[in-house]
Amino acid sequence: SSGINAEWPLRPGYSDRKHWLYSCIKSFPTQRKTGNKGKSRRVCTRQYFFPLSGGDNVCVCLKFFLSTLGYNNDKIITHTVAAMSNPGSCSFSSSGRRSKNRLNMKIVDLMRKHIESKSSDFKNLSVMKLYEDFIANYPRLSKKPSYETYRLLVVKMNVRDGIKRRGRTAVESPAD
């Protein structure tokens, strides 16, 4: 009795996990047409398989397949099958929608240098004023960072320690 091969969580990258997921799904034309005038609402029927440790595959239902992989809806399957079926339509080089909003590392480095150079001004200026100064100093950026991104970088760099903020210091906890 060999168990399900636990390759899914060991896949190092997003693209590898998508390819593995696609290899576990088989699509077939619909056998029975449902709907008006012989037009089916579904384009295909899918079967889901998990590889066993012995090398065989075991067919499972959609609900078991999704819950085993940690999903609660089939959007990941729909997206993966559509992307893998049409190779030119979508790439798996990034992790979905979030990557479109990522800043270039050069811009992040510019923000870091700006924050470090202005760290002595934090006693006199707000983060908003420093952000406006950053935008004014780099008007030709292809993608301007948001104020929230700049503010979070200031917090992450921890350059405001000991400066009063909303009635408490940055080091104090809200319970103090």
Side-chain angles (χ1 to χ4, degrees):
S1 88
S2 53
I4 293 176
N5 189 350
E7 281 189 57
W8 173 256
L10 302 177
R11 293 287 172 171
Y14 182 79
S15 180
D16 289 339
R17 287 193 304 268
K18 289 287 195 166
H19 285 284
W20 182 86
L21 182 69
Y22 185 71
S23 73
C24 295
I25 302 168
K26 305 287 185 251
S27 298
F28 303 98
T30 52
Q31 294 178 349
R32 190 172 20 155
K33 304 291 182 190
T34 58
N36 308 22
K37 302 173 187 172
K39 292 184 180 180
S40 182
R41 291 175 291 174
R42 292 190 303 159
V43 177
C44 65
T45 301
R46 294 188 183 119
Q47 287 184 339
Y48 308 94
F49 298 91
F50 277 122
L52 295 176
S53 300
D56 294 333
N57 289 333
V58 62
C59 185
V60 296
C61 68
L62 173 64
K63 189 171 184 174
F64 181 80
F65 187 75
L66 290 171
S67 63
T68 302
L69 298 177
Y71 293 105
N72 55 10
N73 64 41
D74 66 345
K75 186 175 183 179
I76 186 78
I77 292 173
T78 306
H79 179 262
T80 301
V81 169
M84 297 295 280
S85 299
N86 302 326
S89 67
C90 180
S91 70
F92 291 135
S93 61
S94 62
S95 58
R97 283 182 270 157
R98 218 176 52 172
S99 65
K100 293 177 187 173
N101 296 326
R102 284 216 165 152
L103 283 176
N104 185 334
M105 286 308 293
K106 291 178 183 177
I107 296 174
V108 175
D109 287 339
L110 285 174
M111 289 189 329
R112 284 182 199 276
K113 288 176 184 173
H114 184 263
I115 292 168
E116 287 170 357
S117 70
K118 302 290 184 175
S119 62
S120 62
D121 293 342
F122 277 111
K123 293 178 182 170
N124 303 325
L125 297 173
S126 67
V127 177
M128 177 59 85
K129 294 288 183 189
L130 292 171
Y131 169 73
E132 290 169 354
D133 180 58
F134 174 77
I135 297 297
N137 286 340
Y138 300 100
R140 302 179 85 185
L141 288 176
S142 59
K143 189 171 188 179
K144 292 188 188 331
S146 67
Y147 165 73
E148 185 65 12
T149 302
Y150 188 87
R151 187 190 69 77
L152 289 174
L153 189 58
V154 167
V155 170
K156 187 176 179 181
M157 290 177 65
N158 207 15
V159 293
R160 293 197 66 175
D161 275 352
I163 306 298
K164 287 278 189 184
R165 236 185 347 188
R166 294 187 188 152
R168 64 179 186 264
T169 61
V171 182
E172 294 175 10
S173 68
D176 288 343

